[in-house]
Amino acid sequence: TTALRLATVARRHGWEAECRDVGDFEDAAQLRAFVREQRLSSVLGVHAFRAGKLLLDSEVSYSIVLGGTDVNVMADDASKCVIMQQAIDKSCAVIAFSREMLTKM
């Protein structure tokens, strides 16, 4: 999926990439410990809602990739939209596959 494709591209260009599903972590503290143990410099969260919920309290440096589900489904739910906006606001960068996706958020 998107995360695996991005990791493949990163590796092709000489970067190290570790793919994990947000479901692999019980909470932000467990993610934070994983980032420290793996000596990761940053996290790229795919989907502002799913990854954003975990990243918000993790205290790790992260960027967010907006997914179609974020823009086309989750943005219609006010409580989910708040979480996505908070995650975007705290992120180092936001990656969108189109200008329309970015402006919709």
Side-chain angles (χ1 to χ4, degrees):
T1 63
T2 303
L4 293 174
R5 288 185 199 132
L6 292 170
T8 299
V9 170
R11 290 180 186 120
R12 192 177 315 139
H13 291 282
W15 294 9
E16 291 184 35
E18 180 76 34
C19 280
R20 291 286 190 251
D21 186 275
V22 294
D24 293 345
F25 304 98
E26 291 181 22
D27 56 23
Q30 191 177 30
L31 172 64
R32 190 171 45 250
F34 175 79
V35 168
R36 271 194 297 255
E37 289 167 10
Q38 298 297 313
R39 296 185 173 163
L40 303 175
S41 59
S42 188
V43 172
L44 181 61
V46 178
H47 293 290
F49 179 69
R50 285 192 71 225
K53 286 190 305 184
L54 183 65
L55 292 166
L56 266 173
D57 297 322
S58 68
E59 300 174 5
V60 299
S61 172
Y62 70 88
S63 296
I64 290 282
V65 176
L66 294 178
T69 304
D70 292 325
V71 176
N72 299 317
V73 178
M74 303 295 185
D76 293 334
D77 182 315
S79 62
K80 291 178 181 176
C81 199
V82 168
I83 290 168
M84 290 190 295
Q85 193 58 57
Q86 289 172 343
I88 288 168
D89 290 346
K90 282 185 68 176
S91 70
C92 296
V94 178
I95 298 105
F97 295 113
S98 71
R99 187 172 305 280
E100 179 184 349
M101 274 182 123
L102 188 58
T103 57
K104 203 169 179 184
M105 288 305 300

